[in-house]
Structures are given as C-alpha cells and as structure tokens.
C-alpha cells in the first residue's frame, strides 16, 4: 500500500508516473471528480506492497511465538521495529509485523431503505466486503409494536443477491430524533417488552432477516437492567440468528449519565453476539468543529470497552463522512468522505492532518462565511484498521454505505479478509 500526500506543484500525471500507475486508476480509487489536486490531499495507490500488521505485546509473548503466529520471521520483525529488544519485550508495546496473513474481520454496514442509488452501487461493487447490512427502517410504538418506515424489501433482495446478510435495525426514533421517553416506557413494562420482541421476531421470520441490530439510544439510566433483560429475551427468541447491539462510546461506566448510563457494557456483552461501540461523532453537528473520530479518543473508548466486552464480540464504528461547520454559529452540514475531499479541491483549500487525532481538516470561505471541515481519508481510516488489528477486535461497522468513500473499499480489497 502506498499513500501519497500531494505537495504544492504536484500533478496527477507526475504522481501516476512516479508510482507506475495509470492516472485514471488514481482518479477511480480516490473518487476524484477531476485531475485537479490540492496540497495535503491523501491519494491511495493500490500496489503489491505488503502492509505491516500491528500487534500489542502481551504478558509472556516471545518473538518466536509472534513470528509463528503471523507466518513471518524474527529477523523480519526486528527489521520492522528498530530498537526492539527481543529479550525484553514490554507489555502493551505496539509493534509492526510484516505478515503474509491479512486481518480477518466481521463487518457491518448501515443503510436506509432504498431501491437503487449509491447503496445498491456499493453493494454491487463491495458486497464481498460486508458480512452484514443493518437496514435502518424500524421504530416502535409506545406499546412496543415494531413498524417499518419505508420499503425494506428491495434492499433485502439486494443483500441476498450480493451475499450480504440483512439485519433488521430498530431504533427508538420518533419525530426525527431518538426518544429517551419512548425507550423508557417500553423497557419499563414486561408486556411492552414482550410486544416489541414478538413483533420483531415476526418481521424477521416473515421477511427473511438474518437477525437484529439494536440501536436504542439515550436509554434512561434507571432502565439499564431492563434493557439487558430485554436483550436476553430477544436473543432467546432469535436463537441461532444474530443479535447485534450498538452502544454509546464511553471511557467509564457513568451509570447515572443520561446519555451513556443506560448502556451496561458488561451485561450487553454477555448477551449479544456482536457489540458495536459508536466511536463516531466526537465532533458532532452544531457542536464546535472537531475531528469526527479522533484516534486517541477511539483508543481510550476501546480500551475501556475491552474491560467489559470480549474482543471476539467487539466492533468499532467507522465514519464514512465528514462535517462542514460554519463558524462561529456552528451550523453544520454532513457530507460523504468523498465529497468532503472533493470540496477541498473545488475550493482550493490546503488540507492539513492532525497527527494526534489522525484526522484531516481544512477551512475555506464562501459567501463571506468561514467554514471548517473535518472528515475521513485513507490516512485516518487505515489508522483505525491498525487499531482494531492491534486490539484484536472482531470487526468494524460503517455509518453509512449511502455515503461514498472509495478509499475505504480499496483498502479493504487489498488488506482485509471478510468473515461471512
């Protein structure tokens, strides 16, 4: 894998010639709308170079055992890690490992009901890179009856055609936002919990879903044990079908916090087949301009999650988007990673890279208004894959596949094996 950071004066043709690749291939892989470039732009150049795996040294590890596990040699590991002392390996030290073995992941994309467009195109071109697709189409009444918002059948059929297992995704969504009171009312009542479970199971069986993806947010803290009980009962009904649960990102339990307190990591981790921590929206709409998913924060969240949820169940959420803030009002517009990149080119904005956050950003001025954009690119997304490799997580989720991010799919094609 080669990542080229555009410098002032660089041209697409010059970069293509230097890397012995057709310019049209660079345009395609990076989702460019023209041959124009700006300084700081990160271009992904697929090639045959082996990407180093990342590994955190554990107590009792030896280089010979690590080399055997990754199909490499002690000499190769030592060469990739200058200064590493084989006789004195320090626990939690991250090392690079040249390995012929690709990382194997369980992946899940999210999508809204559709019968075409970018979502269908993504499934047609990249369905081999997704284990599951959570179809964001369901909410429920205050009595616990699930209902569909939109026609999910075309997308279920497309999943079957492209070899992706569809999951029914249900949210406590009402009047355009997550409703804590709706979740609280249903979880409080054993009758309403039963209604929700039975109605979901009926839909799953009727439409051929492979399981359920739960996204119940802002659960009242007093209902956290009720939510775990609900998940246990739901899993019993699903039996061999998948129970996937999305949880708020946090770095400590905070059981009384009105936002994250309702998610009991340990209880949920014991019940669910897969748990996805929403390591996204650190920088959020109407808030101050900040990275969407800074690497340092992602690591803190995952380190805490792993004290409660086993790595073989744990996924980290990856954003497929960026935010464009108008400052100082912080009015915010979401845009795909590809569109954020191309907006920088269109506005002639130089892109900088925050190394601590591992996130690209730029600013521009339009109609006498100052804008700040944070987004994701091949540098930020590959750093995230290295983190989940280091911590040996089972996989990643992508919000959402209706947002174009060709660099991500190209990286996966070259470096990841998907568990179906």
């Amino acid at each position: 894998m080669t990542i080229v950071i555009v410098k002032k004066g660089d041209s697409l043709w010059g970069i293509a010639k230097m890397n012995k690749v057709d310019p049209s291939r660079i345009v395609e892989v990076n989702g460019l709308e023209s041959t124009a470039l700006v300084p700081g732009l990160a271009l992904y150049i697929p090639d045959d170079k082996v990407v180093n795996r990342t590994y955190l040294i554990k107590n009792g590890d030896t280089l010979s055992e690590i080399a055997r596990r990754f199909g490499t040699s002690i000499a190769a590991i030592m060469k990739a890690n200058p200064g590493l002392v084989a006789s004195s390996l320090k626990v939690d030290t991250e090392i690079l490992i040249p390995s012929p073995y690709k990382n194997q992941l369980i992946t899940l994309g999210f999508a809204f009901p559709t019968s075409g467009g970018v979502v269908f195109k993504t499934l047609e071109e990249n369905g081999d890179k997704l284990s599951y697709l959570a179809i964001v189409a369901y909410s429920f009444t205050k009595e616990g009856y699930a209902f569909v918002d939109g026609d999910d059948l075309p997308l279920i059929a497309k999943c079957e055609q492209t070899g992706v297992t569809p999951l029914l995704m249900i949210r406590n969504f009402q009047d355009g936002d997550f409703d804590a009171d709706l979740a609280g009312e249903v979880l409080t009542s054993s009758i309403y919990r039963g209604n929700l479970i039975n109605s979901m199971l009926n839909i799953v069986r009727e439409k051929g879903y492979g399981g359920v993806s739960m996204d119940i947010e802002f659960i009242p803290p007093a209902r956290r044990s009720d939510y775990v009980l609900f998940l246990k009962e739901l899993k019993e009904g699903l039996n061999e079908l998948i129970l996937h649960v999305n949880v708020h990102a946090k770095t400590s339990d905070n059981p009384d916090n009105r936002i994250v307190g309702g998610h009991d990591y340990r209880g949920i981790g014991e019940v669910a087949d897969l748990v996805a921590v929403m390591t996204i929206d650190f920088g959020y709409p109407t808030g101050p301009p900040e990275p969407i998913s800074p690497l340092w924060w992602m690591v803190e969240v995952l380190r805490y999650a792993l004290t409660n949820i086993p790595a073989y169940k744990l996924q980290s959420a990856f954003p497929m988007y960026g935010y464009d803030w108008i400052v100082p009002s912080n009015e915010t517009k979401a845009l795909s990673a590809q569109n954020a990149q191309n907006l920088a080119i269109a506005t002639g904005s130089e892109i900088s890279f925050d190394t601590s956050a591992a996130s690209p950003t730029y600013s521009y001025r339009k109609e006498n208004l100052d804008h700040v954009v944070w987004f994701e690119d091949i540098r930020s997304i590959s750093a995230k894959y290295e983190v989940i490799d280091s911590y040996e997580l089972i996989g990643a989720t992508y919000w959402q596949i209706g947002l174009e991010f060709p660099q991500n799919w190209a990286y996966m094609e070259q470096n990841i094996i998907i568990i179906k």
Side-chain angles (χ1 to χ4, degrees):
M1 177 185 80
T2 298
I3 297 175
V4 173
I5 309 303
V6 175
K7 300 185 296 296
K8 187 175 181 179
D10 282 349
S11 70
L12 182 68
W13 293 273
I15 291 172
K17 183 178 180 180
M18 181 177 296
N19 290 277
K20 300 178 181 179
V21 62
D22 192 285
S24 63
R25 178 62 173 153
I26 298 177
V27 169
E28 175 190 6
V29 167
N30 294 279
L32 300 176
E33 294 178 340
S34 71
T35 58
L37 305 175
V38 291
L41 176 68
L43 296 175
Y44 180 39
I45 315 291
D47 51 36
D48 296 328
K49 295 179 182 177
V50 175
V51 175
N52 288 329
R53 298 283 300 276
T54 53
Y55 180 75
L56 285 177
I57 293 174
K58 299 174 182 58
N59 190 36
D61 276 344
T62 65
L63 283 190
S64 60
E65 291 169 346
I66 296 172
R68 190 179 308 112
R69 174 180 173 182
F70 286 91
T72 187
S73 66
I74 294 175
I77 295 175
M78 296 294 289
K79 183 177 179 181
N81 299 274
L84 183 67
V85 180
S87 60
S88 181
L89 300 180
K90 296 182 179 180
V91 173
D92 281 343
T93 299
E94 184 177 273
I95 61 173
L96 301 176
I97 305 178
S99 172
Y101 304 152
K102 297 180 180 180
N103 197 8
Q104 300 185 46
L105 302 178
I106 294 176
T107 58
L108 180 146
F110 299 95
F112 293 89
T114 179
S115 57
V118 174
V119 170
F120 270 39
K121 177 175 179 284
T122 298
L123 286 173
E124 288 165 0
E125 296 177 354
N126 301 295
D128 60 328
K129 302 174 188 69
L130 291 172
S131 311
Y132 300 101
L133 182 73
I135 301 178
V136 189
Y138 288 84
S139 186
F140 50 90
T141 68
K142 63 181 181 180
E143 295 83 17
Y145 294 105
F147 64 87
V148 66
D149 181 14
D151 183 6
D152 54 338
L153 293 178
L155 196 46
I156 294 172
K158 194 65 178 179
C159 284
E160 182 177 354
Q161 179 187 3
T162 54
V164 180
T165 300
L167 301 183
L168 181 157
M169 185 171 186
I170 193 158
R171 307 185 294 171
N172 55 320
F173 215 68
Q174 187 168 262
D175 298 326
D177 206 349
F178 288 95
D179 191 322
D181 292 335
L182 175 62
E185 285 184 42
V186 172
L187 291 173
T188 299
S189 167
S190 61
I191 294 175
Y192 294 168
R193 291 198 305 267
N195 290 343
L196 183 53
I197 290 169
N198 290 332
S199 61
M200 290 168 63
L201 292 176
N202 287 337
I203 295 168
V204 165
R205 297 185 186 110
E206 175 189 344
K207 295 189 176 182
Y209 277 106
V212 170
S213 179
M214 299 296 304
D215 185 19
I216 310 301
E217 300 192 19
F218 309 120
I219 295 170
R223 302 275 71 84
R224 62 188 264 148
S225 60
D226 291 325
Y227 187 47
V228 173
L229 177 60
F230 167 83
L231 293 175
K232 288 180 180 177
E233 295 168 347
L234 175 59
K235 179 55 187 174
E236 289 174 3
L238 287 169
N239 198 2
E240 77 284 355
L241 299 181
I242 290 294
L243 174 57
H244 179 268
V245 181
N246 300 278
V247 296
H248 291 295
K250 54 185 176 180
T251 56
S252 61
D253 192 19
N254 299 322
D256 298 320
N257 183 281
R258 66 178 185 85
I259 296 175
V260 302
H263 285 160
D264 175 3
Y265 275 17
R266 187 173 298 275
I268 293 170
E270 290 174 354
V271 176
D273 297 300
L274 294 168
V275 181
V277 181
M278 295 184 284
T279 45
I280 55 178
D281 271 14
F282 179 86
Y284 58 93
T286 72
E290 292 186 285
I292 310 301
S293 179
L295 199 69
W296 61 264
W297 174 71
M298 174 185 171
V299 169
E300 287 184 8
V301 170
L302 293 177
R303 286 177 70 92
Y304 169 69
L306 284 166
T307 65
N308 293 277
I309 304 167
Y312 65 82
K313 289 187 176 185
L314 191 60
Q315 295 175 307
S316 181
F318 286 13
M320 306 286 280
Y321 58 89
Y323 287 133
D324 181 342
W325 285 269
I326 296 175
V327 291
S329 70
N330 291 338
E331 179 184 340
T332 315
K333 177 183 177 181
L335 62 173
S336 70
Q338 175 177 289
N339 287 343
Q341 163 197 270
N342 290 334
L343 178 61
I345 298 171
T347 57
S349 304
E350 182 171 351
I351 299 170
S352 60
F353 191 73
D354 184 312
T355 54
S356 175
S359 298
T361 184
Y362 61 91
S363 59
Y364 68 98
R365 188 171 177 82
K366 181 179 180 181
E367 298 176 352
N368 294 321
L369 294 173
D370 292 319
H371 292 248
V372 175
V373 178
W374 286 91
F375 67 111
E376 297 291 312
D377 67 6
I378 184 58
R379 292 170 292 183
S380 62
I381 212 72
S382 60
K384 289 175 172 58
Y385 282 112
E386 289 173 4
V387 167
I388 64 174
D389 194 12
S390 294
Y391 288 94
E392 302 181 65
L393 305 192
I394 194 59
T397 67
Y398 308 97
W399 184 270
Q400 42 97 356
I401 70 165
L403 301 171
E404 294 183 290
F405 192 180
Q407 290 179 334
N408 174 67
W409 304 118
Y411 178 92
M412 293 179 73
E413 178 71 32
Q414 186 176 3
N415 300 294
I416 307 294
I417 293 175
I418 304 303
I419 302 170
K420 292 282 191 174

